[in-house]
Amino acid sequence: MNVGTVDDLLTRELRDDRIALVDATGREYDYHWLCTTAWKAGNFLRHSGVREGVTVGVVGDGPLALLACLGTTLLEGTTRFDPPTDLADEDDFRTLVAPVDRLESYDLPQGAQRVGYGDKPDAPDVHHFDAGLWSENPSFPPLAIDPDTAILTDGERTVTHGQVLEAAHGVLEGTDLGADDRVVVRGPLSDPRTVVAGVIAPLLAKAVIVLPGDANDGEELGDYAVSSESDAPVPEPGRIDLESVSVSRSH
């Protein structure tokens, strides 16, 4: 697929009924759902001040965490998965998206917003992500994102749309990953290489992203596992080793 930035993987033309995502319970979501709900996530997060130049912390590794990342991407923001709890001095940090019962564990800079998912939040200043996804507009205005726009950070390394797509194409060239293959995300999303190999590369190939959860450790769930060779053996027949994913450093 010829795309210039990651938002090109979520366009109206790509919506269909092929499976895009499988969660830890085995529930399947198609590409129509993934694209449309990513647009809703972007529209919702816009209300929390997400835009180009700001960082959004995302806690968790389920479908809602992934949607928060994709919504942030559509708004030209930068996602940091599983950030540290002390963020008070991070001036560009704008929004935290996390399970409701974990939000108060984080010290945020003044003016930053808290967005909770799962249980309905009791605090009036906490936005409810689940409810927002149901109520938001299921469309998104056309985008013109520069490939040099930051998309992911781990606090030390920040990478752009262009770098992420280049690395994802490298994953496809180094594997036989094709449409409908299942890619099991067994590495940490806090590592940008995991997002490249476990999320972006499958979207490029029209493959299936599998988010396994701890309960499925040791159970074969797909065709490829994304993890490091230094980690425990994986049950899937193929492995995409994180050390083989080349993501150059932006700044």
Side-chain angles (χ1 to χ4, degrees):
M1 189 186 302
N2 185 21
V3 299
T5 49
V6 172
D7 57 288
D8 289 336
L9 299 172
L10 300 167
T11 61
R12 184 175 300 276
E13 295 76 17
L14 298 177
R15 297 185 305 174
D16 58 36
D17 60 1
R18 294 169 66 167
I19 302 303
L21 177 69
V22 180
D23 69 14
T25 70
R27 181 178 179 183
E28 298 178 337
Y29 306 82
D30 61 25
Y31 271 90
H32 189 286
W33 177 90
L34 184 68
C35 292
T36 303
T37 315
W39 303 341
K40 289 184 175 185
N43 287 328
F44 179 73
L45 291 172
R46 194 192 307 274
H47 303 313
S48 298
V50 180
R51 61 188 184 278
E52 184 178 3
V54 306
T55 298
V56 175
V58 177
V59 180
D61 55 10
L64 290 176
L66 180 59
L67 287 169
C69 172
L70 296 177
T72 298
T73 296
L74 292 173
L75 296 172
E76 303 178 79
T78 305
T79 297
R80 183 175 184 181
F81 279 103
D82 290 327
T85 55
D86 185 3
L87 295 161
D89 296 328
E90 302 289 334
D91 293 337
D92 63 346
F93 194 93
R94 178 60 185 170
T95 303
L96 177 70
V97 182
V100 170
D101 61 0
R102 297 180 63 181
L103 285 172
E104 292 305 317
S105 301
Y106 291 82
D107 187 14
L108 305 184
Q110 186 174 3
Q113 303 290 305
R114 298 177 193 269
V115 176
Y117 64 84
D119 296 334
K120 183 178 179 180
D122 294 326
D125 60 339
V126 174
H127 306 282
H128 193 203
F129 195 41
D130 312 49
L133 292 180
W134 278 105
S135 61
E136 271 297 342
N137 189 341
S139 63
F140 203 86
L143 299 171
I145 298 177
D146 191 302
D148 289 333
T149 300
I151 183 173
L152 295 168
T153 186
D154 61 6
E156 296 182 0
R157 170 178 51 183
T158 298
V159 293
T160 68
H161 281 248
Q163 291 167 324
V164 161
L165 286 172
E166 181 180 5
H169 279 293
V171 170
L172 300 188
E173 291 168 3
T175 65
D176 292 325
L177 179 62
D180 301 323
D181 284 342
R182 297 196 170 209
V183 181
V184 186
V185 183
R186 296 195 182 276
L189 291 173
S190 56
D191 187 331
R193 298 174 302 174
T194 301
V195 181
V196 167
V199 178
I200 307 303
L203 291 177
L204 272 174
K206 284 293 250 182
V208 182
I209 303 162
V210 181
L211 305 175
D214 294 338
N216 294 313
D217 282 348
E219 179 183 354
E220 182 180 327
L221 299 174
D223 303 284
Y224 291 91
V226 175
S227 71
S228 173
E229 286 279 9
S230 61
D231 293 336
V234 297
E236 285 71 33
R239 185 203 297 261
I240 302 173
D241 180 18
L242 292 180
E243 297 303 321
S244 71
V245 181
S246 178
V247 184
S248 57
R249 183 185 298 268
S250 176
H251 58 271

mmCIF file with all atom_site columns, all heavy atoms in Angstrom, residues 181-208:
data_model
loop_
_atom_site.group_PDB
_atom_site.id
_atom_site.type_symbol
_atom_site.label_atom_id
_atom_site.label_alt_id
_atom_site.label_comp_id
_atom_site.label_asym_id
_atom_site.label_entity_id
_atom_site.label_seq_id
_atom_site.pdbx_PDB_ins_code
_atom_site.Cartn_x
_atom_site.Cartn_y
_atom_site.Cartn_z
_atom_site.occupancy
_atom_site.B_iso_or_equiv
_atom_site.pdbx_formal_charge
_atom_site.auth_seq_id
_atom_site.auth_comp_id
_atom_site.auth_asym_id
_atom_site.auth_atom_id
_atom_site.pdbx_PDB_model_num
ATOM 1   N N   . ASP A 1 181 ? -3.042 -12.297 7.639  1.00 0.00 ? 181 ASP A N   1
ATOM 2   C CA  . ASP A 1 181 ? -2.165 -12.909 8.645  1.00 0.00 ? 181 ASP A CA  1
ATOM 3   C C   . ASP A 1 181 ? -2.395 -12.226 9.987  1.00 0.00 ? 181 ASP A C   1
ATOM 4   O O   . ASP A 1 181 ? -2.695 -11.025 10.051 1.00 0.00 ? 181 ASP A O   1
ATOM 5   C CB  . ASP A 1 181 ? -0.694 -12.754 8.251  1.00 0.00 ? 181 ASP A CB  1
ATOM 6   C CG  . ASP A 1 181 ? -0.275 -13.714 7.161  1.00 0.00 ? 181 ASP A CG  1
ATOM 7   O OD1 . ASP A 1 181 ? -0.991 -14.708 6.935  1.00 0.00 ? 181 ASP A OD1 1
ATOM 8   O OD2 . ASP A 1 181 ? 0.776  -13.474 6.538  1.00 0.00 ? 181 ASP A OD2 1
ATOM 9   N N   . ARG A 1 182 ? -2.243 -12.990 11.058 1.00 0.00 ? 182 ARG A N   1
ATOM 10  C CA  . ARG A 1 182 ? -2.472 -12.447 12.403 1.00 0.00 ? 182 ARG A CA  1
ATOM 11  C C   . ARG A 1 182 ? -1.139 -12.164 13.088 1.00 0.00 ? 182 ARG A C   1
ATOM 12  O O   . ARG A 1 182 ? -0.292 -13.045 13.203 1.00 0.00 ? 182 ARG A O   1
ATOM 13  C CB  . ARG A 1 182 ? -3.331 -13.411 13.227 1.00 0.00 ? 182 ARG A CB  1
ATOM 14  C CG  . ARG A 1 182 ? -4.712 -13.577 12.621 1.00 0.00 ? 182 ARG A CG  1
ATOM 15  C CD  . ARG A 1 182 ? -5.732 -14.185 13.557 1.00 0.00 ? 182 ARG A CD  1
ATOM 16  N NE  . ARG A 1 182 ? -7.063 -14.080 12.970 1.00 0.00 ? 182 ARG A NE  1
ATOM 17  C CZ  . ARG A 1 182 ? -8.191 -13.993 13.663 1.00 0.00 ? 182 ARG A CZ  1
ATOM 18  N NH1 . ARG A 1 182 ? -8.161 -14.028 14.981 1.00 0.00 ? 182 ARG A NH1 1
ATOM 19  N NH2 . ARG A 1 182 ? -9.347 -13.896 13.050 1.00 0.00 ? 182 ARG A NH2 1
ATOM 20  N N   . VAL A 1 183 ? -0.990 -10.916 13.539 1.00 0.00 ? 183 VAL A N   1
ATOM 21  C CA  . VAL A 1 183 ? 0.241  -10.456 14.180 1.00 0.00 ? 183 VAL A CA  1
ATOM 22  C C   . VAL A 1 183 ? -0.058 -10.205 15.652 1.00 0.00 ? 183 VAL A C   1
ATOM 23  O O   . VAL A 1 183 ? -0.852 -9.319  15.996 1.00 0.00 ? 183 VAL A O   1
ATOM 24  C CB  . VAL A 1 183 ? 0.761  -9.169  13.509 1.00 0.00 ? 183 VAL A CB  1
ATOM 25  C CG1 . VAL A 1 183 ? 2.056  -8.720  14.177 1.00 0.00 ? 183 VAL A CG1 1
ATOM 26  C CG2 . VAL A 1 183 ? 0.973  -9.401  12.018 1.00 0.00 ? 183 VAL A CG2 1
ATOM 27  N N   . VAL A 1 184 ? 0.563  -10.984 16.522 1.00 0.00 ? 184 VAL A N   1
ATOM 28  C CA  . VAL A 1 184 ? 0.282  -10.938 17.956 1.00 0.00 ? 184 VAL A CA  1
ATOM 29  C C   . VAL A 1 184 ? 1.285  -10.001 18.629 1.00 0.00 ? 184 VAL A C   1
ATOM 30  O O   . VAL A 1 184 ? 2.499  -10.212 18.541 1.00 0.00 ? 184 VAL A O   1
ATOM 31  C CB  . VAL A 1 184 ? 0.354  -12.344 18.569 1.00 0.00 ? 184 VAL A CB  1
ATOM 32  C CG1 . VAL A 1 184 ? -0.079 -12.308 20.031 1.00 0.00 ? 184 VAL A CG1 1
ATOM 33  C CG2 . VAL A 1 184 ? -0.518 -13.319 17.776 1.00 0.00 ? 184 VAL A CG2 1
ATOM 34  N N   . VAL A 1 185 ? 0.771  -8.995  19.294 1.00 0.00 ? 185 VAL A N   1
ATOM 35  C CA  . VAL A 1 185 ? 1.623  -7.968  19.902 1.00 0.00 ? 185 VAL A CA  1
ATOM 36  C C   . VAL A 1 185 ? 2.050  -8.445  21.293 1.00 0.00 ? 185 VAL A C   1
ATOM 37  O O   . VAL A 1 185 ? 1.352  -8.237  22.284 1.00 0.00 ? 185 VAL A O   1
ATOM 38  C CB  . VAL A 1 185 ? 0.888  -6.625  19.995 1.00 0.00 ? 185 VAL A CB  1
ATOM 39  C CG1 . VAL A 1 185 ? 1.818  -5.549  20.553 1.00 0.00 ? 185 VAL A CG1 1
ATOM 40  C CG2 . VAL A 1 185 ? 0.359  -6.216  18.623 1.00 0.00 ? 185 VAL A CG2 1
ATOM 41  N N   . ARG A 1 186 ? 3.212  -9.077  21.360 1.00 0.00 ? 186 ARG A N   1
ATOM 42  C CA  . ARG A 1 186 ? 3.718  -9.596  22.632 1.00 0.00 ? 186 ARG A CA  1
ATOM 43  C C   . ARG A 1 186 ? 4.817  -8.721  23.223 1.00 0.00 ? 186 ARG A C   1
ATOM 44  O O   . ARG A 1 186 ? 5.298  -8.990  24.310 1.00 0.00 ? 186 ARG A O   1
ATOM 45  C CB  . ARG A 1 186 ? 4.200  -11.035 22.450 1.00 0.00 ? 186 ARG A CB  1
ATOM 46  C CG  . ARG A 1 186 ? 3.059  -12.001 22.058 1.00 0.00 ? 186 ARG A CG  1
ATOM 47  C CD  . ARG A 1 186 ? 3.449  -13.448 22.236 1.00 0.00 ? 186 ARG A CD  1
ATOM 48  N NE  . ARG A 1 186 ? 2.387  -14.360 21.826 1.00 0.00 ? 186 ARG A NE  1
ATOM 49  C CZ  . ARG A 1 186 ? 1.357  -14.728 22.602 1.00 0.00 ? 186 ARG A CZ  1
ATOM 50  N NH1 . ARG A 1 186 ? 1.260  -14.255 23.829 1.00 0.00 ? 186 ARG A NH1 1
ATOM 51  N NH2 . ARG A 1 186 ? 0.432  -15.561 22.147 1.00 0.00 ? 186 ARG A NH2 1
ATOM 52  N N   . GLY A 1 187 ? 5.227  -7.686  22.514 1.00 0.00 ? 187 GLY A N   1
ATOM 53  C CA  . GLY A 1 187 ? 6.188  -6.733  23.045 1.00 0.00 ? 187 GLY A CA  1
ATOM 54  C C   . GLY A 1 187 ? 5.466  -5.547  23.670 1.00 0.00 ? 187 GLY A C   1
ATOM 55  O O   . GLY A 1 187 ? 4.255  -5.362  23.468 1.00 0.00 ? 187 GLY A O   1
ATOM 56  N N   . PRO A 1 188 ? 6.177  -4.693  24.405 1.00 0.00 ? 188 PRO A N   1
ATOM 57  C CA  . PRO A 1 188 ? 5.547  -3.532  25.047 1.00 0.00 ? 188 PRO A CA  1
ATOM 58  C C   . PRO A 1 188 ? 5.260  -2.424  24.052 1.00 0.00 ? 188 PRO A C   1
ATOM 59  O O   . PRO A 1 188 ? 6.128  -2.051  23.245 1.00 0.00 ? 188 PRO A O   1
ATOM 60  C CB  . PRO A 1 188 ? 6.599  -3.092  26.072 1.00 0.00 ? 188 PRO A CB  1
ATOM 61  C CG  . PRO A 1 188 ? 7.903  -3.525  25.470 1.00 0.00 ? 188 PRO A CG  1
ATOM 62  C CD  . PRO A 1 188 ? 7.616  -4.805  24.732 1.00 0.00 ? 188 PRO A CD  1
ATOM 63  N N   . LEU A 1 189 ? 4.057  -1.865  24.081 1.00 0.00 ? 189 LEU A N   1
ATOM 64  C CA  . LEU A 1 189 ? 3.729  -0.756  23.207 1.00 0.00 ? 189 LEU A CA  1
ATOM 65  C C   . LEU A 1 189 ? 4.533  0.496   23.538 1.00 0.00 ? 189 LEU A C   1
ATOM 66  O O   . LEU A 1 189 ? 4.619  1.414   22.712 1.00 0.00 ? 189 LEU A O   1
ATOM 67  C CB  . LEU A 1 189 ? 2.229  -0.452  23.279 1.00 0.00 ? 189 LEU A CB  1
ATOM 68  C CG  . LEU A 1 189 ? 1.302  -1.514  22.679 1.00 0.00 ? 189 LEU A CG  1
ATOM 69  C CD1 . LEU A 1 189 ? -0.155 -1.174  22.975 1.00 0.00 ? 189 LEU A CD1 1
ATOM 70  C CD2 . LEU A 1 189 ? 1.522  -1.661  21.184 1.00 0.00 ? 189 LEU A CD2 1
ATOM 71  N N   . SER A 1 190 ? 5.122  0.554   24.714 1.00 0.00 ? 190 SER A N   1
ATOM 72  C CA  . SER A 1 190 ? 5.968  1.690   25.076 1.00 0.00 ? 190 SER A CA  1
ATOM 73  C C   . SER A 1 190 ? 7.224  1.757   24.223 1.00 0.00 ? 190 SER A C   1
ATOM 74  O O   . SER A 1 190 ? 7.885  2.792   24.169 1.00 0.00 ? 190 SER A O   1
ATOM 75  C CB  . SER A 1 190 ? 6.352  1.609   26.556 1.00 0.00 ? 190 SER A CB  1
ATOM 76  O OG  . SER A 1 190 ? 6.973  0.377   26.846 1.00 0.00 ? 190 SER A OG  1
ATOM 77  N N   . ASP A 1 191 ? 7.567  0.677   23.543 1.00 0.00 ? 191 ASP A N   1
ATOM 78  C CA  . ASP A 1 191 ? 8.685  0.652   22.607 1.00 0.00 ? 191 ASP A CA  1
ATOM 79  C C   . ASP A 1 191 ? 8.136  0.972   21.215 1.00 0.00 ? 191 ASP A C   1
ATOM 80  O O   . ASP A 1 191 ? 7.316  0.212   20.685 1.00 0.00 ? 191 ASP A O   1
ATOM 81  C CB  . ASP A 1 191 ? 9.331  -0.733  22.614 1.00 0.00 ? 191 ASP A CB  1
ATOM 82  C CG  . ASP A 1 191 ? 10.609 -0.807  21.787 1.00 0.00 ? 191 ASP A CG  1
ATOM 83  O OD1 . ASP A 1 191 ? 10.727 -0.052  20.806 1.00 0.00 ? 191 ASP A OD1 1
ATOM 84  O OD2 . ASP A 1 191 ? 11.467 -1.643  22.116 1.00 0.00 ? 191 ASP A OD2 1
ATOM 85  N N   . PRO A 1 192 ? 8.539  2.090   20.597 1.00 0.00 ? 192 PRO A N   1
ATOM 86  C CA  . PRO A 1 192 ? 8.002  2.429   19.274 1.00 0.00 ? 192 PRO A CA  1
ATOM 87  C C   . PRO A 1 192 ? 8.164  1.314   18.248 1.00 0.00 ? 192 PRO A C   1
ATOM 88  O O   . PRO A 1 192 ? 7.353  1.199   17.328 1.00 0.00 ? 192 PRO A O   1
ATOM 89  C CB  . PRO A 1 192 ? 8.813  3.669   18.884 1.00 0.00 ? 192 PRO A CB  1
ATOM 90  C CG  . PRO A 1 192 ? 9.162  4.315   20.183 1.00 0.00 ? 192 PRO A CG  1
ATOM 91  C CD  . PRO A 1 192 ? 9.424  3.152   21.124 1.00 0.00 ? 192 PRO A CD  1
ATOM 92  N N   . ARG A 1 193 ? 9.168  0.470   18.397 1.00 0.00 ? 193 ARG A N   1
ATOM 93  C CA  . ARG A 1 193 ? 9.357  -0.626  17.442 1.00 0.00 ? 193 ARG A CA  1
ATOM 94  C C   . ARG A 1 193 ? 8.212  -1.623  17.516 1.00 0.00 ? 193 ARG A C   1
ATOM 95  O O   . ARG A 1 193 ? 7.836  -2.226  16.500 1.00 0.00 ? 193 ARG A O   1
ATOM 96  C CB  . ARG A 1 193 ? 10.696 -1.320  17.711 1.00 0.00 ? 193 ARG A CB  1
ATOM 97  C CG  . ARG A 1 193 ? 11.913 -0.424  17.538 1.00 0.00 ? 193 ARG A CG  1
ATOM 98  C CD  . ARG A 1 193 ? 13.175 -1.136  17.970 1.00 0.00 ? 193 ARG A CD  1
ATOM 99  N NE  . ARG A 1 193 ? 13.083 -1.575  19.363 1.00 0.00 ? 193 ARG A NE  1
ATOM 100 C CZ  . ARG A 1 193 ? 14.000 -2.323  19.988 1.00 0.00 ? 193 ARG A CZ  1
ATOM 101 N NH1 . ARG A 1 193 ? 15.073 -2.731  19.330 1.00 0.00 ? 193 ARG A NH1 1
ATOM 102 N NH2 . ARG A 1 193 ? 13.831 -2.670  21.255 1.00 0.00 ? 193 ARG A NH2 1
ATOM 103 N N   . THR A 1 194 ? 7.644  -1.803  18.706 1.00 0.00 ? 194 THR A N   1
ATOM 104 C CA  . THR A 1 194 ? 6.493  -2.690  18.837 1.00 0.00 ? 194 THR A CA  1
ATOM 105 C C   . THR A 1 194 ? 5.296  -2.133  18.081 1.00 0.00 ? 194 THR A C   1
ATOM 106 O O   . THR A 1 194 ? 4.563  -2.878  17.402 1.00 0.00 ? 194 THR A O   1
ATOM 107 C CB  . THR A 1 194 ? 6.124  -2.881  20.315 1.00 0.00 ? 194 THR A CB  1
ATOM 108 O OG1 . THR A 1 194 ? 7.240  -3.426  21.021 1.00 0.00 ? 194 THR A OG1 1
ATOM 109 C CG2 . THR A 1 194 ? 4.936  -3.802  20.481 1.00 0.00 ? 194 THR A CG2 1
ATOM 110 N N   . VAL A 1 195 ? 5.074  -0.840  18.181 1.00 0.00 ? 195 VAL A N   1
ATOM 111 C CA  . VAL A 1 195 ? 3.965  -0.214  17.462 1.00 0.00 ? 195 VAL A CA  1
ATOM 112 C C   . VAL A 1 195 ? 4.181  -0.332  15.956 1.00 0.00 ? 195 VAL A C   1
ATOM 113 O O   . VAL A 1 195 ? 3.243  -0.623  15.198 1.00 0.00 ? 195 VAL A O   1
ATOM 114 C CB  . VAL A 1 195 ? 3.809  1.259   17.884 1.00 0.00 ? 195 VAL A CB  1
ATOM 115 C CG1 . VAL A 1 195 ? 2.642  1.908   17.147 1.00 0.00 ? 195 VAL A CG1 1
ATOM 116 C CG2 . VAL A 1 195 ? 3.600  1.364   19.395 1.00 0.00 ? 195 VAL A CG2 1
ATOM 117 N N   . VAL A 1 196 ? 5.412  -0.122  15.522 1.00 0.00 ? 196 VAL A N   1
ATOM 118 C CA  . VAL A 1 196 ? 5.726  -0.250  14.094 1.00 0.00 ? 196 VAL A CA  1
ATOM 119 C C   . VAL A 1 196 ? 5.402  -1.653  13.596 1.00 0.00 ? 196 VAL A C   1
ATOM 120 O O   . VAL A 1 196 ? 4.688  -1.836  12.599 1.00 0.00 ? 196 VAL A O   1
ATOM 121 C CB  . VAL A 1 196 ? 7.206  0.083   13.831 1.00 0.00 ? 196 VAL A CB  1
ATOM 122 C CG1 . VAL A 1 196 ? 7.615  -0.364  12.429 1.00 0.00 ? 196 VAL A CG1 1
ATOM 123 C CG2 . VAL A 1 196 ? 7.457  1.566   14.002 1.00 0.00 ? 196 VAL A CG2 1
ATOM 124 N N   . ALA A 1 197 ? 5.946  -2.665  14.273 1.00 0.00 ? 197 ALA A N   1
ATOM 125 C CA  . ALA A 1 197 ? 5.810  -4.046  13.798 1.00 0.00 ? 197 ALA A CA  1
ATOM 126 C C   . ALA A 1 197 ? 4.453  -4.649  14.107 1.00 0.00 ? 197 ALA A C   1
ATOM 127 O O   . ALA A 1 197 ? 3.955  -5.484  13.345 1.00 0.00 ? 197 ALA A O   1
ATOM 128 C CB  . ALA A 1 197 ? 6.912  -4.908  14.414 1.00 0.00 ? 197 ALA A CB  1
ATOM 129 N N   . GLY A 1 198 ? 3.846  -4.249  15.231 1.00 0.00 ? 198 GLY A N   1
ATOM 130 C CA  . GLY A 1 198 ? 2.617  -4.885  15.665 1.00 0.00 ? 198 GLY A CA  1
ATOM 131 C C   . GLY A 1 198 ? 1.350  -4.165  15.277 1.00 0.00 ? 198 GLY A C   1
ATOM 132 O O   . GLY A 1 198 ? 0.261  -4.754  15.341 1.00 0.00 ? 198 GLY A O   1
ATOM 133 N N   . VAL A 1 199 ? 1.467  -2.897  14.872 1.00 0.00 ? 199 VAL A N   1
ATOM 134 C CA  . VAL A 1 199 ? 0.278  -2.112  14.512 1.00 0.00 ? 199 VAL A CA  1
ATOM 135 C C   . VAL A 1 199 ? 0.386  -1.558  13.092 1.00 0.00 ? 199 VAL A C   1
ATOM 136 O O   . VAL A 1 199 ? -0.470 -1.820  12.245 1.00 0.00 ? 199 VAL A O   1
ATOM 137 C CB  . VAL A 1 199 ? 0.054  -0.961  15.519 1.00 0.00 ? 199 VAL A CB  1
ATOM 138 C CG1 . VAL A 1 199 ? -1.158 -0.112  15.100 1.00 0.00 ? 199 VAL A CG1 1
ATOM 139 C CG2 . VAL A 1 199 ? -0.150 -1.514  16.925 1.00 0.00 ? 199 VAL A CG2 1
ATOM 140 N N   . ILE A 1 200 ? 1.444  -0.801  12.827 1.00 0.00 ? 200 ILE A N   1
ATOM 141 C CA  . ILE A 1 200 ? 1.537  -0.120  11.532 1.00 0.00 ? 200 ILE A CA  1
ATOM 142 C C   . ILE A 1 200 ? 1.784  -1.108  10.392 1.00 0.00 ? 200 ILE A C   1
ATOM 143 O O   . ILE A 1 200 ? 1.142  -1.031  9.341  1.00 0.00 ? 200 ILE A O   1
ATOM 144 C CB  . ILE A 1 200 ? 2.637  0.953   11.565 1.00 0.00 ? 200 ILE A CB  1
ATOM 145 C CG1 . ILE A 1 200 ? 2.410  1.907   12.758 1.00 0.00 ? 200 ILE A CG1 1
ATOM 146 C CG2 . ILE A 1 200 ? 2.649  1.727   10.256 1.00 0.00 ? 200 ILE A CG2 1
ATOM 147 C CD1 . ILE A 1 200 ? 1.069  2.588   12.772 1.00 0.00 ? 200 ILE A CD1 1
ATOM 148 N N   . ALA A 1 201 ? 2.710  -2.039  10.581 1.00 0.00 ? 201 ALA A N   1
ATOM 149 C CA  . ALA A 1 201 ? 2.988  -3.014  9.513  1.00 0.00 ? 201 ALA A CA  1
ATOM 150 C C   . ALA A 1 201 ? 1.751  -3.854  9.175  1.00 0.00 ? 201 ALA A C   1
ATOM 151 O O   . ALA A 1 201 ? 1.438  -4.046  7.990  1.00 0.00 ? 201 ALA A O   1
ATOM 152 C CB  . ALA A 1 201 ? 4.171  -3.902  9.896  1.00 0.00 ? 201 ALA A CB  1
ATOM 153 N N   . PRO A 1 202 ? 1.012  -4.374  10.153 1.00 0.00 ? 202 PRO A N   1
ATOM 154 C CA  . PRO A 1 202 ? -0.225 -5.088  9.808  1.00 0.00 ? 202 PRO A CA  1
ATOM 155 C C   . PRO A 1 202 ? -1.236 -4.218  9.060  1.00 0.00 ? 202 PRO A C   1
ATOM 156 O O   . PRO A 1 202 ? -1.905 -4.689  8.138  1.00 0.00 ? 202 PRO A O   1
ATOM 157 C CB  . PRO A 1 202 ? -0.771 -5.534  11.171 1.00 0.00 ? 202 PRO A CB  1
ATOM 158 C CG  . PRO A 1 202 ? 0.425  -5.622  12.037 1.00 0.00 ? 202 PRO A CG  1
ATOM 159 C CD  . PRO A 1 202 ? 1.324  -4.514  11.592 1.00 0.00 ? 202 PRO A CD  1
ATOM 160 N N   . LEU A 1 203 ? -1.362 -2.944  9.446  1.00 0.00 ? 203 LEU A N   1
ATOM 161 C CA  . LEU A 1 203 ? -2.286 -2.072  8.727  1.00 0.00 ? 203 LEU A CA  1
ATOM 162 C C   . LEU A 1 203 ? -1.847 -1.891  7.275  1.00 0.00 ? 203 LEU A C   1
ATOM 163 O O   . LEU A 1 203 ? -2.676 -1.861  6.358  1.00 0.00 ? 203 LEU A O   1
ATOM 164 C CB  . LEU A 1 203 ? -2.390 -0.718  9.426  1.00 0.00 ? 203 LEU A CB  1
ATOM 165 C CG  . LEU A 1 203 ? -3.096 -0.702  10.785 1.00 0.00 ? 203 LEU A CG  1
ATOM 166 C CD1 . LEU A 1 203 ? -3.055 0.698   11.390 1.00 0.00 ? 203 LEU A CD1 1
ATOM 167 C CD2 . LEU A 1 203 ? -4.536 -1.180  10.662 1.00 0.00 ? 203 LEU A CD2 1
ATOM 168 N N   . LEU A 1 204 ? -0.549 -1.772  7.053  1.00 0.00 ? 204 LEU A N   1
ATOM 169 C CA  . LEU A 1 204 ? -0.034 -1.658  5.685  1.00 0.00 ? 204 LEU A CA  1
ATOM 170 C C   . LEU A 1 204 ? -0.364 -2.900  4.862  1.00 0.00 ? 204 LEU A C   1
ATOM 171 O O   . LEU A 1 204 ? -0.669 -2.806  3.671  1.00 0.00 ? 204 LEU A O   1
ATOM 172 C CB  . LEU A 1 204 ? 1.486  -1.464  5.718  1.00 0.00 ? 204 LEU A CB  1
ATOM 173 C CG  . LEU A 1 204 ? 2.030  -0.046  5.818  1.00 0.00 ? 204 LEU A CG  1
ATOM 174 C CD1 . LEU A 1 204 ? 3.550  -0.092  5.995  1.00 0.00 ? 204 LEU A CD1 1
ATOM 175 C CD2 . LEU A 1 204 ? 1.659  0.769   4.593  1.00 0.00 ? 204 LEU A CD2 1
ATOM 176 N N   . ALA A 1 205 ? -0.281 -4.060  5.493  1.00 0.00 ? 205 ALA A N   1
ATOM 177 C CA  . ALA A 1 205 ? -0.479 -5.328  4.792  1.00 0.00 ? 205 ALA A CA  1
ATOM 178 C C   . ALA A 1 205 ? -1.937 -5.768  4.753  1.00 0.00 ? 205 ALA A C   1
ATOM 179 O O   . ALA A 1 205 ? -2.249 -6.797  4.151  1.00 0.00 ? 205 ALA A O   1
ATOM 180 C CB  . ALA A 1 205 ? 0.363  -6.411  5.455  1.00 0.00 ? 205 ALA A CB  1
ATOM 181 N N   . LYS A 1 206 ? -2.831 -5.005  5.396  1.00 0.00 ? 206 LYS A N   1
ATOM 182 C CA  . LYS A 1 206 ? -4.225 -5.420  5.574  1.00 0.00 ? 206 LYS A CA  1
ATOM 183 C C   . LYS A 1 206 ? -4.285 -6.742  6.345  1.00 0.00 ? 206 LYS A C   1
ATOM 184 O O   . LYS A 1 206 ? -5.102 -7.623  6.066  1.00 0.00 ? 206 LYS A O   1
ATOM 185 C CB  . LYS A 1 206 ? -4.943 -5.552  4.230  1.00 0.00 ? 206 LYS A CB  1
ATOM 186 C CG  . LYS A 1 206 ? -5.311 -4.224  3.617  1.00 0.00 ? 206 LYS A CG  1
ATOM 187 C CD  . LYS A 1 206 ? -6.367 -3.507  4.441  1.00 0.00 ? 206 LYS A CD  1
ATOM 188 C CE  . LYS A 1 206 ? -7.679 -3.451  3.748  1.00 0.00 ? 206 LYS A CE  1
ATOM 189 N NZ  . LYS A 1 206 ? -8.715 -2.717  4.511  1.00 0.00 ? 206 LYS A NZ  1
ATOM 190 N N   . ALA A 1 207 ? -3.392 -6.857  7.311  1.00 0.00 ? 207 ALA A N   1
ATOM 191 C CA  . ALA A 1 207 ? -3.348 -8.029  8.177  1.00 0.00 ? 207 ALA A CA  1
ATOM 192 C C   . ALA A 1 207 ? -4.171 -7.753  9.436  1.00 0.00 ? 207 ALA A C   1
ATOM 193 O O   . ALA A 1 207 ? -4.914 -6.771  9.509  1.00 0.00 ? 207 ALA A O   1
ATOM 194 C CB  . ALA A 1 207 ? -1.897 -8.379  8.513  1.00 0.00 ? 207 ALA A CB  1
ATOM 195 N N   . VAL A 1 208 ? -4.033 -8.602  10.438 1.00 0.00 ? 208 VAL A N   1
ATOM 196 C CA  . VAL A 1 208 ? -4.847 -8.540  11.651 1.00 0.00 ? 208 VAL A CA  1
ATOM 197 C C   . VAL A 1 208 ? -3.938 -8.274  12.845 1.00 0.00 ? 208 VAL A C   1
ATOM 198 O O   . VAL A 1 208 ? -2.953 -8.988  13.063 1.00 0.00 ? 208 VAL A O   1
ATOM 199 C CB  . VAL A 1 208 ? -5.625 -9.854  11.869 1.00 0.00 ? 208 VAL A CB  1
ATOM 200 C CG1 . VAL A 1 208 ? -6.497 -9.765  13.112 1.00 0.00 ? 208 VAL A CG1 1
ATOM 201 C CG2 . VAL A 1 208 ? -6.460 -10.185 10.641 1.00 0.00 ? 208 VAL A CG2 1
#
